[in-house]
Amino acid sequence: MLVFEKSRPGRGCSMLPACDVEIVLPKEKDKRELALHMPELSENELSRHYTELAKKSHGVNDGFYPLGSCTMKYNPKINEDMAALPGFTEVHPLQPAHTVQGCMEVMKETEEYLCEITGMDHMTFQPAAGAHGEFTGLLLIKAYHESRGDKKRTKIIVPDSAHGTNPASAVMAGYSVVSIPSGEDGCVDLEKLRAVAGDDIAGLMLTNPNTVGLFDKNILEITNIVHGCGGLCYYDGANLNAVMGTVRPGDMGFDVIHLNLHKTFSTPHGGGGPGSGPVGCKECLTEFLPSVLVEGEETLSFVKSEHSIGEMKSFYGNFLVVVRALTYLKTLGREGIPKASQNAVLNANYMMNKLKDLYTMAYDEVCMHEFVMSLSDLKKKTGVSAMDIAKGLLDNGIHPPTMYFPLIVDEALMVEPTETESRETLDEAIQVFRNLYEMAEKEAESLHAAPVTTPVTRLDEVGAARHPVLRYQFS
Amino acid sequence: MGSYIPNTENEQSQMLSEIGFQSMEELFGHIPDEVKVKDGLNIPEGMSELEVRKSMQKIAGKNRVFETIFRGAGAYRHFIPSIVKSVISKENLLTAYTPYQAEISQGILQSIFEYQTMICDLTGMDTSNASVYDGATAAAEGIAMCKERKRKKAMISATVLPYVLETVKTYCFGNGMELVVIPEKDGVTDVEFLKENIDKETACVYIQHPNYYGNLEDAENIGNIVHEAGAKYIMGVNPISLGVLKTPREYGADVAVGDGQPLGLSIAFGGPYLGFMACVEGMTRKLPGRIVGQTVDHNGKTGYVLTLQAREQHIRREKASSNVCSNQALCALAVSVYMAAMGNEGLANAAIQSTSKAHYLAAELEKIGFAVENKTDFFHEFVTKSETPAETALKALEEQGILGGYPLDDHRILWCCTEVNSKEEMDAVVRILKEV
């Protein structure tokens, strides 16, 4: 039941004291006439309403969440405590510099950690999410070319295996997209890349490991080709959890990157955000960074470059998310960060190897932190699709992998276990996957009907889009 | 060193050998040597939880928390009911990803549907999305959604928050829209300039109400001018003001945006906040980001799903209406809980107390030589001009634990009052400034 349907006239919570100065009301012409319809409920009823909603939700805290490309690792509790310190939450963003030295230290220290991990020279925390970071990074590339009077570069190369945000961000930055097909091995096809690399190319967007979970071994050659035609290389940090301490984007030839603190650096995703998408770059792009950078040793201050692209949003980014990430970085440190990545890769390979006799792997090679299986054989044989297997997982308390992505693999399921899962959890999930396969062969019908143990069964998405009901209508 | 890896070294070795590897090095053996990190990362060693806690507390301790704040300018300290934190700390909600799997995400999806309804009700608009990053990006996205093939010019008033103006400029640098800034006249939008410069190529006009200086704009009149030219009218609003001020719908807006921070989120050095976006029905399919819709399951039971996804990047790629993927869902939840806890009366009360207190402080400051510059009606922010340098005045307040208004220049200060500021605190400001 919706909170509005539980409302009873006259109920409510008491929050504010009487006003201690004379009441001033706006003139009639500016006074609200439309009635408000906020729910009227006691605090107890309200609290139970949200507890009920929480029970009908599933977080990392509830169980295994191998959602590929999203790095659903455990969200440490101390992160939340530190982000709730009044020294961070009660600070106004426009306070004088000498009263916010701690906030500046958070930004400076996090920048130092992340630049070392990624091989970048500077980093801004203003972008609020990964896609916002992509847009920011592309504007840096645009500003760079324009500053050199190089106006003919109107295109960004994006592999067909890329996240959908990549081409969408390129268009927001005013570029047209050149999509290049991946090779048979799922990696960049060097010949195809060479064929499009020219003086109209502003840059390339790439993840490595790529979205099929493989490390592209030709990476130096790829970035060389792009640099050779005068373009710059953008690293989508969505998959950084595979390679921390092993390789650095900066050493692979990337000029600008974004990270997802809500993936790699353990901050909770909150059912869709807030995230944080800091953008790091090499020295050649630093002068174009948006917002401010923190400088100084003893006394810290904000400095803004004269050639900055401007502001990407208000203030300095999702600051409390950065506080959580710094807490995590301090906890893991020099040994812990590489170990996190090593175990993420180990867990993925372990699962892949224990499933590949039954399920068809899209690429049967050593994977990085995630792997992609194709259920198209299973579907041909039994009629059970990737969607059906995903819904079957729901009945077993497991959040399904990412479905139908990347687009270059038919009936794809993309599995990313992360390093914070135990061997027992992986073994149980492997068993569930195997049981579902058996079910697909013996009783496909029951998988078409899954899930049956959830608060609702499969929902009519087509109907929802065709006849949109996007809000409650008050009678 | 702290770690969140459950498997012991021994278990890791066993797992490695079961899948045919002798060591981690071998597992990573396929990565070319020439790109590998050679001597480890040059970052500090990890720490125990106890040490990390002390280290972070020490950093937080270097910030000054002001008991009393009279500064707004885009970040507002309002009262936050305890239930807000209680709800957003619930781990099933906190630690979930975007609700792609609707069957196990009904709680989150329903909460977004309720949020959308509340934002529509607050603004008077027909459709709301599930949030974007903040008020400034909501403004920029609002302008982008008005772009048409033959209308690529956007006009924005100089009286909007500086961060909003700068963000809009950046987005226009990206998407190639022409941006015309309508100058300020006497603290409000120069309506004559608007009339003279709006044309057939104008896609939209953006104003903020109340504006950066706290002033109420001639919002209805501006709306009429905009519509006569066939352009879309976007209003950026402070959501608290809507407890008492006319809604964007009543002023004739096509799109309403703003920063939801005043509705239950702490000021937090600038974020996370959230941007709300709502529009008239005809523009629904141009909204960026997530939208939740109501539907039924196979048994006819009511449920909620992410919908109208044909607008979005994961389906449309380069043809998407925006690149928004992650938004500020947990902040939207906080806003919903805030509005539900405050209720109709509480929202109106917060608005009325904020504006009443601002008027009280303005009158008291006027008496001691801080002349109020606002020539039109203002809401909960106002500007004073004084002979006393702003820096001197603000320093005197700071020494007494009060964060005064925001200095606009050497002698002008932008003040803000909310319901949390007591008469006693305001009288203290006046007492201190009298001595300066």
Side-chain angles (χ1 to χ4, degrees):
Chain A
M1 199 190 265
L2 291 167
V3 70
F4 310 105
E5 296 166 321
K6 294 177 182 171
S7 176
R8 294 289 175 276
R11 286 189 195 166
C13 314
S14 161
M15 292 298 167
L16 300 180
C19 191
D20 54 4
V21 298
E22 190 190 338
I23 296 287
V24 176
L25 292 173
K27 293 203 183 93
E28 285 306 317
K29 75 173 175 72
D30 289 312
K31 221 190 239 171
R32 179 179 184 121
E33 284 169 31
L34 279 181
L36 275 168
H37 301 86
M38 295 304 158
E40 297 177 84
L41 294 169
S42 67
E43 188 168 312
N44 182 12
E45 294 166 295
L46 202 53
S47 180
R48 282 185 187 157
H49 175 72
Y50 288 106
T51 298
E52 186 191 319
L53 294 189
K55 283 182 189 160
K56 290 196 275 184
S57 305
H58 179 101
V60 181
N61 230 67
D62 298 285
F64 191 38
Y65 212 124
L67 186 65
S69 211
C70 298
T71 313
M72 295 300 281
K73 62 171 76 175
Y74 175 68
N75 308 132
K77 305 307 172 200
I78 185 180
N79 294 0
E80 299 309 306
D81 276 357
M82 298 303 97
L85 290 172
F88 295 130
T89 61
E90 295 306 313
V91 178
H92 193 284
L94 299 175
Q95 279 186 206
H98 69 274
T99 67
V100 294
Q101 290 291 303
C103 290
M104 291 186 184
E105 188 172 328
V106 167
M107 292 167 70
K108 184 163 190 266
E109 210 176 334
T110 313
E111 183 186 4
E112 285 164 0
Y113 271 102
L114 295 178
C115 280
E116 170 64 16
I117 290 169
T118 58
M120 292 290 136
D121 293 321
H122 280 291
M123 193 166 283
T124 173
F125 293 96
Q126 198 175 43
H132 203 212
E134 291 174 16
F135 179 40
T136 306
L138 290 166
L139 290 182
L140 297 184
I141 292 176
K142 186 169 178 167
Y144 169 84
H145 291 307
E146 287 197 0
S147 75
R148 295 153 58 93
D150 190 348
K151 302 218 165 178
K152 58 191 176 300
R153 299 186 182 271
T154 56
K155 295 174 182 165
I156 292 282
I157 305 171
V158 181
D160 60 358
S161 60
H163 299 119
T165 49
N166 288 184
S169 300
V171 170
M172 281 179 77
Y175 287 113
S176 58
V177 174
V178 182
S179 177
I180 52 165
S182 307
E184 275 184 21
D185 58 356
C187 294
V188 172
D189 184 325
L190 293 177
E191 285 317 306
K192 300 243 165 61
L193 177 63
R194 280 197 193 95
V196 297
D199 62 5
D200 57 347
I201 296 299
L204 161 81
M205 297 181 86
L206 202 66
T207 60
N208 196 22
N210 60 22
T211 59
V212 297
L214 302 180
F215 189 88
D216 202 319
K217 300 182 187 78
N218 299 320
I219 189 64
L220 284 180
E221 191 158 1
I222 292 168
T223 52
N224 264 333
I225 293 171
V226 176
H227 286 150
C229 77
L232 295 178
C233 297
Y234 183 92
Y235 182 83
D236 174 339
N239 294 343
L240 188 75
N241 205 46
V243 293
M244 290 188 293
T246 300
V247 294
R248 310 192 307 167
D251 300 338
M252 293 191 276
F254 289 96
D255 306 289
V256 49
I257 67 166
H258 86 260
L259 302 177
N260 301 78
L261 299 187
H262 50 283
K263 295 179 181 178
T264 321
F265 298 97
S266 82
T267 74
H269 201 253
S276 174
V279 167
C281 67
K282 292 280 184 68
E283 209 56 75
C284 64
L285 293 172
T286 304
E287 61 177 316
F288 306 114
L289 281 173
S291 188
V292 287
L293 289 174
V294 180
E295 279 188 4
E297 290 299 327
E298 286 293 297
T299 307
L300 303 175
S301 59
F302 280 144
V303 288
K304 177 147 192 168
S305 159
E306 185 188 345
H307 300 116
S308 165
I309 55 166
E311 306 293 334
M312 297 304 301
K313 69 183 285 297
S314 300
F315 308 118
Y316 325 108
N318 284 337
F319 177 73
L320 295 181
V321 180
V322 181
V323 170
R324 289 176 174 92
L326 179 59
T327 306
Y328 179 75
L329 286 162
K330 280 179 183 279
T331 304
L332 266 61
R334 181 162 42 221
E335 325 77 26
I337 289 286
K339 282 201 170 136
S341 283
Q342 288 165 7
N343 278 276
V345 173
L346 171 58
N347 282 359
N349 276 284
Y350 181 81
M351 271 193 87
M352 184 178 82
N353 273 277
K354 303 245 162 171
L355 287 173
K356 70 181 184 185
D357 60 317
L358 271 188
Y359 287 88
T360 310
M361 295 302 150
Y363 304 92
D364 187 11
E365 295 176 37
V366 177
C367 69
M368 296 301 286
H369 66 310
E370 63 193 2
F371 60 93
V372 179
M373 39 201 202
S374 168
L375 277 67
S376 79
D377 289 346
L378 182 70
K379 192 177 175 191
K380 269 181 219 137
K381 202 161 67 177
T382 66
V384 168
S385 64
M387 171 81 86
D388 293 331
I389 295 290
K391 298 304 178 191
L393 287 166
L394 291 177
D395 280 331
N396 289 275
I398 294 175
H399 191 289
T402 295
M403 309 182 301
Y404 299 99
F405 183 83
L407 307 178
I408 58 171
V409 176
D410 278 343
E411 294 293 323
L413 283 181
M414 183 192 222
V415 186
E416 181 181 7
T418 83
E419 73 279 11
T420 58
E421 299 301 335
S422 69
R423 180 182 179 157
E424 301 86 81
T425 302
L426 302 180
D427 285 338
E428 280 166 31
I430 290 162
Q431 195 53 53
V432 170
F433 268 104
R434 299 186 72 89
N435 294 347
L436 291 174
Y437 195 95
E438 203 174 303
M439 236 170 124
E441 288 178 318
K442 289 184 183 152
E443 38 175 336
E445 278 314 307
S446 61
L447 276 177
H448 295 320
V452 292
T453 59
T454 45
V456 290
T457 57
R458 283 190 215 191
L459 291 147
D460 180 5
E461 294 190 14
V462 174
R466 200 166 285 163
H467 307 287
V469 178
L470 309 178
R471 57 170 294 190
Y472 177 73
Q473 294 293 346
F474 300 101
S475 51
Chain B
M1 162 192 104
S3 165
Y4 301 104
I5 297 166
N7 295 327
T8 62
E9 300 258 337
N10 207 2
E11 286 166 329
Q12 291 166 29
S13 301
Q14 280 173 14
M15 289 166 72
L16 278 165
S17 85
E18 276 182 43
I19 58 172
F21 294 93
Q22 298 297 314
S23 63
M24 284 288 185
E25 288 68 42
E26 198 185 337
L27 184 64
F28 284 80
H30 63 291
I31 294 181
D33 275 338
E34 68 256 37
V35 289
K36 270 191 183 157
V37 173
K38 300 292 181 299
D39 302 313
L41 295 170
N42 185 21
I43 54 176
E45 285 184 20
M47 292 190 275
S48 66
E49 181 163 322
L50 176 61
E51 293 164 299
V52 172
R53 182 178 295 267
K54 283 185 177 166
S55 164
M56 292 302 289
Q57 281 169 338
K58 193 173 161 201
I59 297 176
K62 292 179 188 173
N63 292 324
R64 176 140 182 218
V65 174
F66 288 92
E67 192 71 24
T68 305
I69 295 184
F70 288 100
R71 192 167 291 193
Y76 303 94
R77 189 196 265 176
H78 285 277
F79 169 74
I80 303 175
S82 295
I83 191 171
V84 172
K85 190 180 175 199
S86 152
V87 172
I88 62 172
S89 305
K90 291 181 192 295
E91 286 157 333
N92 329 38
L93 302 169
L94 175 69
T95 70
Y97 204 75
T98 303
Y100 294 130
Q101 295 291 340
E103 298 88 343
I104 52 164
S105 310
Q106 283 301 297
I108 287 171
L109 288 159
Q110 184 180 326
S111 81
I112 298 172
F113 185 79
E114 292 176 353
Y115 162 84
Q116 289 172 184
T117 304
M118 290 186 199
I119 290 295
C120 288
D121 195 51
L122 188 69
T123 57
M125 307 306 279
D126 299 319
T127 317
S128 159
N129 72 5
S131 78
V132 291
Y133 313 131
D134 69 354
T137 51
E141 292 277 3
I143 287 173
M145 71 187 263
C146 295
K147 186 176 173 185
E148 286 176 26
R149 203 166 51 84
K150 288 187 175 170
R151 290 178 181 264
K152 288 184 179 158
K153 178 169 119 181
M155 298 182 78
I156 184 168
S157 172
T159 65
V160 304
L161 280 159
Y163 270 108
V164 169
L165 181 58
E166 291 306 313
T167 303
V168 167
K169 279 183 186 167
T170 312
Y171 273 61
C172 288
F173 167 61
N175 67 23
M177 279 180 90
E178 182 196 346
L179 187 68
V180 175
V181 179
I182 311 164
E184 172 216 323
K185 196 180 173 194
D186 297 330
V188 291
T189 307
D190 184 343
V191 177
E192 289 309 311
F193 181 95
L194 169 67
K195 273 187 198 161
E196 282 160 26
N197 290 277
I198 194 165
D199 57 26
K200 279 185 192 161
E201 275 153 33
T202 307
C204 59
V205 174
Y206 182 99
I207 69 150
Q208 181 180 312
H209 183 85
N211 70 22
Y212 182 45
Y213 309 107
N215 289 324
L216 302 193
E217 294 276 354
D218 193 1
E220 196 168 341
N221 183 27
I222 293 175
N224 290 337
I225 297 167
V226 175
H227 285 147
E228 268 166 37
K232 301 285 188 228
Y233 185 29
I234 311 175
M235 286 182 73
V237 288
N238 181 322
I240 284 283
S241 76
L242 299 180
V244 65
L245 287 183
K246 242 182 204 168
T247 60
R249 164 50 66 79
E250 290 168 287
Y251 285 125
D254 301 290
V255 182
V257 301
D259 202 306
Q261 178 272 325
L263 304 174
L265 296 168
S266 31
I267 45 182
F269 200 55
Y273 298 169
L274 84 161
F276 61 85
M277 296 188 75
C279 65
V280 293
E281 199 170 1
M283 296 184 74
T284 299
R285 282 168 204 269
K286 296 201 163 178
L287 275 173
R290 313 292 187 190
I291 297 177
V292 170
Q294 195 179 55
T295 185
V296 288
D297 75 359
H298 284 184
N299 303 319
K301 192 173 172 188
T302 299
Y304 303 89
V305 290
L306 293 173
T307 193
L308 303 183
Q309 298 191 64
R311 302 163 296 114
E312 291 190 69
Q313 45 79 25
H314 60 289
I315 309 285
R316 297 273 284 172
R317 299 177 77 83
E318 66 265 29
K319 293 191 183 67
S321 61
S322 161
N323 70 345
V324 172
C325 184
S326 282
N327 51 42
Q328 306 284 112
L330 198 71
C331 302
L333 178 64
V335 162
S336 302
V337 180
Y338 173 86
M339 289 199 276
M342 295 298 280
N344 302 327
E345 255 176 63
L347 286 174
N349 199 359
I352 291 168
Q353 293 210 22
S354 296
T355 189
S356 299
K357 292 183 183 210
H359 282 82
Y360 175 80
L361 181 62
E364 294 299 308
L365 286 174
E366 181 96 40
K367 287 179 197 165
I368 59 162
F370 285 75
V372 175
E373 281 205 327
N374 303 58
K375 293 196 170 75
T376 47
D377 293 338
F378 60 90
F379 179 61
H380 73 333
E381 291 183 275
F382 59 93
V383 179
T384 59
K385 190 171 184 180
S386 59
E387 279 193 16
T388 312
E391 200 188 328
T392 314
L394 295 172
K395 206 161 175 225
L397 293 174
E398 194 185 310
E399 278 163 13
Q400 304 292 322
I402 298 172
L403 181 67
Y406 183 63
L408 294 179
D409 56 37
D410 289 348
H411 294 272
R412 289 159 75 233
I413 300 175
L414 174 64
W415 301 86
C416 174
C417 293
T418 75
E419 74 287 351
V420 300
N421 299 119
S422 66
K423 178 170 180 291
E424 202 180 319
E425 288 171 345
M426 295 188 280
D427 291 341
V429 168
V430 175
R431 203 167 51 240
I432 294 162
L433 292 185
K434 224 170 166 178
E435 306 289 308
V436 176

